[in-house]
Amino acid sequence: MSGIFSIGISGLNAARAALDVTSHNISNVNTDGYNRQRLSQSAATPQFVGYGYAGRGVDLYAVSRLYDGFMDEQLQNVTASSSGFQTQATALSDIDNLITDGNAGLSNLMQGFYASLQTLSQQPTSIAARQSVISQAESLSGRFQSMNTRMEEVRNGLINQINTSVEGVNSYARQIAALNEQIISLNQGEGRAPNDLLDQRDTLVRDLNKLIKTDVVEQSDGMYSVYIGQGHPLVIGETSYEMTMMRGAPAQPEDPEAPSLGIKLPGTSNTVVLNSQLIAGGSIAGAMTTLNYDVARVQADLGRMAVEFSDAMNRQQALGVDLNGLPASTPMFADLTAFRTTAENATTPAGEAKAMRDALRRFAVAVQEPSQLAVASGIQAGATTPVDPTEVPGGKPSISAIWQVSNLSPAANPTLPAAPALALNYIPGNTPPFEADFGGTIVPVTQSASQAGVYEFTLASGQHIAFKFEGQAATNQTIPVTPRTGAPGESAQLDNANLLEMARLQTRPLMAATPNSTSTFLPAVGAARTGSLQSFYGQTVSYVGSRTNVVQVSLTAQEAALQEVKLKRESFSGVNLDEEAANLIRYQQAYQASSKVIQVAQEIFQSLLDLR
C-alpha cells in the first residue's frame, strides 16, 4: 500500500510543481528578457519485486529555462550595432538640417556678400554702398559664428551623452558582478541554477550592449566575464572595472577638449586608454564616431572656409587704396592664417580640428569705416606722352584699368615697388600688342583666358598684374606703371578695379578638396586648389548628406535584423499564453488523477481494515 501512496504523492508533487512553473511563466509574460521555464522530470528508479521491476512514480530533477546562447549573442551584437547607428543618425540629421537649411546655411549670405560688392562697383565712392558691403560681411561672419555655435551644441551634446553612457556602463558592470556573486552562491549544479537571476544578468548584458559592444565569456562555474574593445576586461567574476571618460591628454594631447575612454585598474590609480576605433558598437561608439569624424570634419571644413576666405579677401584688400587714395591699412577680416599653420603642424586629426574650431570662433570683420575699403586699384598707368586723340577715339587712355591680382596663400603677396621702374610697351601689330619692361627686364604679357579684353603678366618678384586695354593706337607707346601713394593728383584716378578683383574671388579656386580619409582633415601643404568657396561648401553639404543617408540605410537594416532576432528568440524562449493555458489544464488533470490514485489507495486500505 505504501507504494501506491508514494506513487500518488510523487504524481501530486510533480503536477503541483508543473503548475507552479506554468503559473510563473504566465506571471512573467510581460517581463523583459524572461526565458520560459519548464519542469524536467523522469520516472523514478524502479524496485525489483520478484516478478519484475515495479515503478515507483516520478522524480523531479530540474527547472530549466529555454535558452539559446547563440541566439542571445546575436541579439547582443545586433542591439549594439542598432544603438550605435541610431546615435549617429540622430546627430547627423541635426548637422544635415543645419548646413542644408536655406535660412541657416551659408550659401545665401555668401551670394548676398558678393552681390553687395557688385553694387559698390557701380558707385565706388558711395558711403552707403560701402557700408552695405561691411554689413553683408558682418552678416556672413555672424552666420559662420551661429553655425559654429550650433555645431558646438551638437559636439557638446555628444560628449555629454558619452559621459552619461559611461556612467551607465559602470552601473551595469557593478550589477552584473553582483549577480555573478549571487548566482555562484545559489547554483546547485547542473540543472539547478537560479534561472530568474540568469535572465536578469542576460538582460543587463543586453542593456549594456546598447551602450557599448561587449564580448561575454561564461566561465565553468557559471559566472560571466565581460570584455570591451580588444579584450579589455569590464567584469571578471565578482569584480567590476570602472570605465572613465577623459579629456585631452594622454589620448588627445593636441585637443584638451577631446574626449577619450579608459579603464581604471582595480586597486591602483592607473588607467588604460582604450582605442575608440576598436569599440565596434553601442551608443558610445556611435557618439565617438560622429564626434571624431563627422562633427570634426564639418567644423574643420567650415574653419578652412573662414581661413581661406578671410585670407583671400585681406590679400586683395591690401593691394588697393581706400577712399582717400591711401594704401589700405586695415584688413577686411580678422587674420586667421596662424590657425592654418597650427593645423598644418598638428600630428592628429583632433589637433587639426581644434585649430580650425579656434579659427571659426574668431572669424570676424576687422574693417569698420566704410572709407577704409580698398575699392580702387593700388597701381596706376599713365602715358608719359599724351595719347593722340586721333589714334584713340574720344581721347581715351590706352589702359582703361590696371590692378594687381592677389596670390592665393601660401604664396607671398608683395605689392608693386616704386623701383625698379615698370612700364608697358605697346607695340602695334604684335600678338599680344604688349610687353612689360621691369627695370630693363622684358616680361611677356598674355591674354587672360577668363576675362575678355584683359591682359596679364607676373613679375619675377611675385606680383601678378592684370590690365584692360581699350583703343587701337597706331604708334608704339611706353606707359609707366606706378604704385599709388595717396598724392593729390591721384585722387581723380580712383576706380573700382580692386573691388572687382575681390568680387572675382567668388569663382576663384580658393579651396583644396578635403581628403577622403579618417587620418586627416587637411589637404597636403601646397595641394592644388580646385574649388571656389561655394563649390567647396557644396562638397561639405554633399558629404553630410551622403553620411546621413549611409547611416540611415544601415540603421534601417540593423533595426530589421534586430526585430527578426527578437522574434526568433521570442518564438523559442518567450511565453505563449495559449500553450501555458493548455498546460494548466493538463497539469490540473494530472493533479486530479494523482489525487484519485491516493483516493483509490485509501479505499483499498480501508477495505483491508474492514476485513477484520
Side-chain angles (χ1 to χ4, degrees):
M1 294 302 300
S2 62
I4 298 177
F5 273 112
S6 63
I7 290 172
I9 291 172
S10 71
L12 278 176
N13 289 334
R16 180 190 55 78
L19 286 170
D20 288 343
V21 172
T22 301
S23 300
H24 187 59
N25 286 338
I26 293 172
S27 299
N28 286 280
V29 65
N30 294 315
T31 300
D32 184 35
Y34 178 79
N35 291 279
R36 177 163 53 96
Q37 298 178 12
R38 67 182 176 188
L39 179 67
S40 298
Q41 61 187 46
S42 64
T45 303
Q47 181 180 11
F48 184 73
V49 291
Y51 57 82
Y53 286 93
R56 295 195 302 165
V58 63
D59 283 341
L60 307 179
Y61 64 86
V63 177
S64 57
R65 58 180 185 149
L66 296 180
Y67 174 77
D68 186 327
F70 175 73
M71 192 179 300
D72 209 60
E73 183 179 358
Q74 277 188 311
L75 184 57
Q76 293 170 14
N77 293 338
V78 177
T79 296
S81 296
S82 178
S83 179
F85 284 123
Q86 180 63 62
T87 301
Q88 292 184 61
T90 300
L92 284 169
S93 179
D94 291 340
I95 299 172
D96 188 46
N97 291 336
L98 169 64
I99 67 173
T100 59
D101 188 342
N103 296 321
L106 289 172
S107 296
N108 289 343
L109 282 179
M110 282 191 287
Q111 293 175 1
F113 172 75
Y114 286 117
S116 69
L117 295 181
Q118 295 291 346
T119 300
L120 178 58
S121 69
Q122 299 170 15
Q123 39 187 342
T125 60
S126 169
I127 295 296
R130 287 168 173 257
Q131 183 60 57
S132 176
V133 170
I134 294 176
S135 298
Q136 287 291 336
E138 290 175 341
S139 296
L140 181 59
S141 170
R143 181 58 51 83
F144 268 100
Q145 294 292 344
S146 65
M147 291 187 70
N148 183 57
T149 299
R150 290 280 302 279
M151 290 299 300
E152 284 292 290
E153 290 173 355
V154 174
R155 181 171 168 275
N156 290 329
L158 288 170
I159 292 175
N160 291 335
Q161 181 178 349
I162 293 170
N163 190 47
T164 302
S165 297
V166 166
E167 294 174 358
V169 167
N170 292 332
S171 175
Y172 287 135
R174 289 191 294 269
Q175 293 179 69
I176 292 171
L179 281 173
N180 273 341
E181 183 178 5
Q182 284 184 272
I183 290 168
I184 196 63
S185 65
L186 297 175
N187 198 336
Q188 299 298 314
E190 184 66 29
R192 294 177 176 83
N195 295 316
D196 296 317
L197 295 184
L198 297 179
D199 287 345
Q200 291 178 30
R201 186 176 64 180
D202 288 334
T203 300
L204 286 173
V205 171
R206 283 195 292 274
D207 290 340
L208 177 60
N209 273 273
K210 293 178 182 178
L211 302 180
I212 189 167
K213 171 69 175 64
T214 66
D215 294 308
V216 179
V217 177
E218 185 174 5
Q219 306 298 336
S220 58
D221 56 6
M223 290 198 292
Y224 276 179
S225 293
V226 182
Y227 302 91
I228 59 176
Q230 292 296 96
H232 294 283
L234 186 63
V235 177
I236 299 293
E238 302 171 12
T239 303
S240 63
Y241 292 65
E242 183 181 356
M243 189 177 185
T244 63
M245 189 194 80
M246 304 167 289
R247 296 287 193 100
Q252 303 286 5
E254 294 182 327
D255 184 0
E257 302 172 11
S260 59
L261 303 173
I263 295 289
K264 284 187 177 180
L265 301 180
T268 71
S269 58
N270 297 329
T271 299
V272 177
V273 178
L274 302 179
N275 185 342
S276 61
Q277 295 180 350
L278 300 180
I279 299 175
S283 62
I284 291 178
M288 290 293 286
T289 297
T290 306
L291 188 66
N292 292 338
Y293 300 134
D294 301 314
V295 174
R297 158 73 185 266
V298 172
Q299 286 192 296
D301 280 359
L302 292 175
R304 285 180 56 210
M305 288 176 64
V307 170
E308 302 305 339
F309 172 71
S310 61
D311 185 35
M313 295 300 296
N314 288 346
R315 283 167 174 267
Q316 196 59 53
Q317 164 86 355
L319 296 177
V321 294
D322 61 21
L323 189 59
N324 298 316
L326 297 173
S329 58
T330 304
M332 183 175 288
F333 295 95
D335 184 4
L336 306 177
T337 54
F339 296 104
R340 182 205 294 134
T341 302
T342 301
E344 290 174 345
N345 292 335
T347 59
T348 63
E352 296 171 352
K354 172 66 166 57
M356 291 296 97
R357 285 203 312 273
D358 291 342
L360 200 53
R361 292 186 185 118
R362 291 164 176 78
F363 181 50
V365 178
V367 64
Q368 298 297 323
E369 292 295 329
S371 61
Q372 293 178 335
L373 285 177
V375 173
S377 172
I379 57 178
Q380 58 186 347
T384 52
T385 303
V387 179
D388 187 342
T390 61
E391 295 180 344
V392 182
K396 292 181 179 180
S398 299
I399 305 297
S400 60
I402 187 167
W403 63 94
Q404 185 175 340
V405 180
S406 64
N407 297 320
L408 299 178
S409 63
N413 200 42
T415 57
L416 182 68
L422 172 63
L424 291 174
N425 295 328
Y426 175 74
I427 308 171
N430 280 14
T431 304
F434 282 99
E435 64 180 17
D437 183 345
F438 187 50
T441 300
I442 301 301
V443 179
V445 174
T446 59
Q447 190 164 4
S448 172
S450 58
Q451 300 179 64
V454 173
Y455 297 88
E456 54 191 359
F457 60 94
T458 301
L459 301 179
S461 50
Q463 296 87 349
H464 180 193
I465 296 175
F467 62 93
K468 191 170 185 179
F469 169 73
E470 294 183 3
Q472 296 293 328
T475 59
N476 291 2
Q477 296 185 40
T478 298
I479 307 170
V481 178
T482 57
R484 284 178 171 158
T485 60
E490 298 172 352
S491 299
Q493 303 176 35
L494 294 183
D495 51 37
N496 63 358
N498 199 58
L499 181 76
L500 290 176
E501 194 57 44
M502 286 184 184
R504 293 186 191 104
L505 290 173
Q506 182 176 11
T507 57
R508 289 188 68 186
L510 303 184
M511 308 297 300
T514 302
N516 292 321
S517 169
T518 58
S519 62
T520 181
F521 298 121
L522 300 182
V525 176
R529 296 165 181 263
T530 57
S532 66
L533 200 70
Q534 286 173 290
S535 67
F536 180 80
Y537 182 67
Q539 293 173 16
T540 302
V541 171
S542 176
Y543 166 80
V544 174
S546 175
R547 282 283 296 138
T548 303
N549 182 64
V550 168
V551 168
Q552 191 61 53
V553 169
S554 299
L555 174 61
T556 301
Q558 288 300 314
E559 287 180 336
L562 178 60
Q563 188 64 23
E564 181 181 353
V565 174
K566 282 183 175 179
L567 289 174
K568 287 171 61 179
R569 178 189 175 278
E570 189 67 22
S571 66
F572 177 76
S573 59
V575 176
N576 185 315
L577 288 179
D578 292 337
E579 181 182 351
E580 299 302 328
N583 286 339
L584 279 177
I585 297 172
R586 180 158 63 95
Y587 297 137
Q588 180 187 16
Q589 291 174 344
Y591 189 90
Q592 291 171 342
S594 296
S595 299
K596 193 66 175 178
V597 170
I598 295 174
Q599 182 183 354
V600 169
Q602 182 183 13
E603 291 174 353
I604 294 173
F605 185 70
Q606 185 63 45
S607 296
L608 291 175
L609 291 177
D610 291 343
L611 290 176
R612 296 182 182 182

